[in-house]
């Protein structure tokens, strides 16, 4: 069986590696390098990235780790310890310590909200912001979390997604960092595809997907085509229309990469910054893997949701936040990257994803077709696993 995959991002390579045991895989990639928004960018010895913050939302126990193991990819993911802390009033707090910052009435309210969330007894039709808005600190913390993890404000985040995310968190725990950064995941997957006889063709800009009796990528014939492009772009180049109107809404964000000798975070998780004007949180992946920066240096990455359309103002507010966070610590800005329009943080923000299965000849993978409650690459892995199971069960096994 011949499978053509359009795009060598994480989703395309993950489904390619999984299927390469059963099918002949050909991956087409427009750029000279593979990995899309999930690979390293070497800058003066710092392993910056094309997108992601070198973090896997549920670490070595989540959907991505499971899919990597299933594909036979040898990637070491170190779970964060603790998952995260919260910078409030210049001090770092663990999640459980945050309750001590609330007055008696607010404590009772916060306890009620936490219990409701754990039991899933909440109105699924409101936003996370509405759920939290009665407690100022809880709102700020929730907003820092959604900004960091989903590139959405708390008011933009549907409560139905938060319930699924909370379930996944209770099942799998918090984040982890892959040794070698994002690129180690991409290298492991591309090696599997090649080892199993597949090919990855770079600098090939696909123009057309045609679904007939067979499936075509430009003039090349396949049994199945899997698109790792955004649902919108896939539909634009395809002869069949499948997108529900106004369903898919991208999420936008800004990442700032910073070099510091001293370091600013004393653990391997996320430092959430609920009091900042724009920055939602930061991490220091060199606490896990020193090879991500030159000797004697740390790499810190901040992330912020893009709130307005004025990019310069958004970046300036982020830089002001950084100046406040690094008050007593020397640092230099290495790189500022903004993600929007055709290169957003997520092609579909959580809750606006579309189904992976278009028909038996066309499938979608990537961050426009994530599973419910799947944060970033965990959501991509959920979608990929769904496509893999469907193809094996309904197409490969039936053709035997
Ligand atoms: C600032 C930022 C921080 C993030 N942080 C994290 C994080 O810490 N953890 C996390 O889990 N996720 C994070 N994410 C999200 C994660 O990086 C993305 O969701 C993920 O990398 C997207 O993967 P994808 O499979 O959708 O493919 P993409 O990365 O979108 O790859 C698609 C590929 O298709 C190629 N392509 C496009 N058009 C064509 C064409 N016509 N022909 C051939 N090829 C084509 C592209 O060049 C690209 O290589 C972050 C994202 C950003 C932007």
């Amino acid at each position: 069986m011949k499978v053509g995959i359009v795009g060598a991002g994480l989703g395309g390579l993950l489904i390619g590696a999984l299927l390469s045991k059963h099918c002949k895989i050909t991956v087409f990639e427009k750029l000279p390098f593979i990995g899309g928004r999930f690979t390293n960018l070497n800058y003066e010895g710092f392993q910056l990235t094309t997108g992601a913050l070198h973090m896997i939302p549920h670490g070595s126990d989540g959907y991505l780790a499971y899919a990597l193991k299933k594909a036979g990819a040898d990637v070491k993911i170190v779970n964060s310890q603790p998952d995260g802390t919260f910078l409030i009033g210049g001090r770092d707090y663990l999640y459980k310590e945050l309750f001590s910052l609330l007055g008696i009435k607010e404590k009772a309210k916060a306890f009620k909200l936490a219990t409701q969330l754990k039991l899933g007894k909440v109105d699924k039709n409101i936003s996370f912001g509405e759920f939290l808005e009665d407690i100022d600190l809880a709102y700020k913390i929730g907003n820092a979390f959604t900004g960091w993890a989903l590139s959405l404000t708390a008011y933009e985040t549907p409560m139905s997604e938060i319930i699924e995310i909370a379930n996944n968190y209770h099942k799998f725990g918090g984040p982890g960092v892959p040794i070698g950064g994002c690129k180690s995941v991409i290298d492991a997957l591309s090696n599997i595809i090649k080892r199993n006889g597949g090919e990855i063709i770079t600098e090939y800009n696909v123009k057309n997907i045609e679904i007939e009796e067979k499936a075509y990528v430009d003039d090349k014939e396949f049994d199945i085509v899997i698109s790792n492009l955004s649902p919108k772009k896939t539909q634009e180049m395809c002869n069949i229309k499948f997108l529900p109107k106004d369903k898919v809404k991208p999420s936008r964000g800004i990442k700032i990469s910073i070099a510091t000798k001293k370091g600013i975070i004393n653990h391997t998780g996320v430092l959430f910054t609920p009091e900042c004007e724009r920055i939602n949180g930061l991490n220091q992946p060199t606490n896990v893997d020193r090879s991500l920066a030159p000797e004697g240096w740390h790499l810190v990455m901040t992330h912020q949701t893009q709130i307005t359309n004025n990019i310069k103002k958004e970046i300036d507010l982020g830089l002001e936040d950084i100046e406040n966070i690094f008050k007593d610590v020397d640092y230099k800005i290495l790189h500022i990257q903004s993600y929007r329009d055709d290169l957003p943080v997520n092609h579909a923000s959580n809750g606006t994803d579309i189904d992976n299965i278009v028909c038996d000849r066309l499938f979608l993978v990537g961050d426009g077709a994530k599973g419910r409650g799947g944060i970033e690459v965990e959501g991509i892995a959920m979608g990929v696993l769904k496509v893999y199971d469907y193809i094996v069960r309904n197409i490969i096994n039936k053709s035997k």
Side-chain angles (χ1 to χ4, degrees):
M1 185 162 295
K2 285 166 69 183
V3 177
I5 299 176
V6 183
L10 178 69
L13 294 173
L14 187 57
I15 190 67
L18 283 164
L19 285 175
S20 63
K21 284 176 269 173
H22 312 277
C23 313
K24 167 84 174 79
I25 301 293
T26 307
V27 185
F28 300 94
E29 169 55 51
K30 170 173 85 167
L31 298 175
F33 64 89
I34 60 171
R37 285 164 289 152
F38 200 79
T39 193
N40 298 11
L41 264 182
N42 190 344
Y43 176 75
E44 295 181 356
F46 290 89
Q47 295 304 313
L48 310 186
T49 68
T50 48
L53 301 143
H54 288 312
M55 259 196 162
I56 297 177
H58 297 298
S60 65
D61 304 298
Y63 291 103
L64 179 62
Y66 170 77
L68 289 171
K69 273 186 215 128
K70 199 175 167 80
D74 187 17
V75 179
K76 185 162 188 246
I77 303 167
V78 178
N79 286 343
S80 300
Q81 200 52 259
D83 299 337
T85 55
F86 300 82
L87 185 64
I88 295 167
R91 227 199 91 179
D92 245 18
Y93 291 86
L94 288 164
Y95 176 72
K96 61 181 180 198
E97 294 170 330
L98 293 172
F99 283 84
S100 69
L101 297 173
L102 300 172
I104 293 176
K105 271 192 190 156
E106 284 187 321
K107 250 188 209 140
K109 270 193 208 167
F111 186 71
K112 195 172 153 202
L113 292 185
T115 313
Q116 284 174 338
L117 185 56
K118 201 161 184 182
L119 299 175
K121 290 193 170 169
V122 288
D123 182 353
K124 292 190 177 126
N125 299 313
I126 61 172
S127 70
F128 192 36
E130 288 168 282
F131 179 70
L132 297 173
E133 66 191 359
D134 281 353
I135 310 168
D136 186 50
L137 183 63
Y139 172 77
K140 285 183 177 154
I141 286 165
N143 196 55
F145 170 75
T146 57
W148 169 267
L150 312 176
S151 287
L152 294 174
T153 66
Y155 279 116
E156 289 169 326
T157 308
M159 202 57 210
S160 51
E161 273 296 299
I162 290 293
I163 294 166
E164 298 294 333
I165 287 171
N167 285 341
N168 283 335
Y169 179 73
H170 290 126
K171 233 189 274 173
F172 304 120
V177 174
I179 297 293
C182 301
K183 188 171 183 292
S184 67
V185 175
I186 296 304
D187 286 347
L189 294 171
S190 70
N191 286 340
I192 293 169
I193 294 173
K194 288 178 193 158
R195 210 184 308 137
N196 287 333
E199 56 178 341
I200 301 174
I201 306 170
T202 51
E203 297 185 78
Y204 186 112
N205 187 8
V206 173
K207 297 268 190 325
N208 200 29
I209 297 173
E210 195 86 11
I211 306 298
E212 307 287 349
E213 285 287 292
K214 290 275 180 175
Y216 298 87
V217 171
D218 295 335
D219 58 349
K220 294 167 186 63
E221 185 184 292
F222 295 95
D223 297 291
I224 292 170
V225 169
I226 302 175
S227 174
N228 188 203
L229 313 190
S230 71
K232 186 168 163 253
K233 224 166 173 196
T234 305
Q235 177 161 285
E236 278 167 12
M237 61 171 70
C238 187
N239 62 322
I240 53 175
K241 303 295 162 226
F242 53 84
L243 259 187
K245 204 168 176 276
D246 294 336
K247 165 94 169 103
V248 180
K249 293 200 175 70
S251 60
R252 312 179 295 181
I254 295 166
K255 178 180 73 177
I256 303 180
S257 300
I258 300 164
T260 159
K261 285 199 163 160
K262 195 169 165 202
I264 190 85
I265 305 177
N266 61 10
H267 57 74
T268 52
V270 183
L271 177 61
F272 292 99
T273 51
E275 292 183 324
C276 279
E277 191 65 41
R278 281 298 188 273
I279 302 286
N280 301 120
L282 46 150
N283 67 352
Q284 191 168 298
T286 38
N287 284 354
V288 174
D289 184 353
R290 290 307 297 237
S291 77
L292 297 174
E295 209 181 325
W297 288 90
H298 277 290
L299 170 64
V300 171
M301 295 167 138
T302 69
H303 186 64
Q304 64 193 86
T305 308
Q306 186 192 317
I307 307 284
T308 69
N309 290 330
N310 185 338
I311 299 292
K312 184 177 179 312
K313 177 181 149 200
E314 295 296 311
I315 290 172
D316 286 347
L317 288 170
L319 290 172
E320 268 174 43
D321 284 338
I322 289 168
E323 190 60 31
N324 291 329
I325 297 167
F326 281 77
K327 252 192 325 273
D328 309 315
V329 179
D330 284 343
Y331 71 93
K332 67 173 177 183
I333 303 291
L334 293 171
H335 203 23
I336 301 174
Q337 292 157 290
S338 79
Y339 296 86
R340 57 190 197 279
D341 304 327
D342 283 345
L343 194 71
V345 178
N346 278 302
H347 282 300
S349 59
N350 280 61
T352 75
D353 291 272
I354 77 156
D355 194 18
N356 305 85
I357 300 159
V358 177
C359 64
D360 276 9
R361 298 238 180 264
L362 178 64
F363 298 84
L364 303 173
V365 293
D367 66 6
K370 302 184 293 303
R372 283 185 62 202
I375 303 176
E376 309 276 14
V377 296
E378 302 291 358
I380 294 176
M382 288 166 88
V384 164
L385 288 166
K386 180 175 171 181
V387 169
Y388 175 73
D389 280 350
Y390 184 96
I391 292 176
V392 170
R393 233 178 264 180
N394 298 298
I395 303 176
I396 296 177
N397 287 350
K398 281 192 182 158
S399 71
K400 280 180 185 162

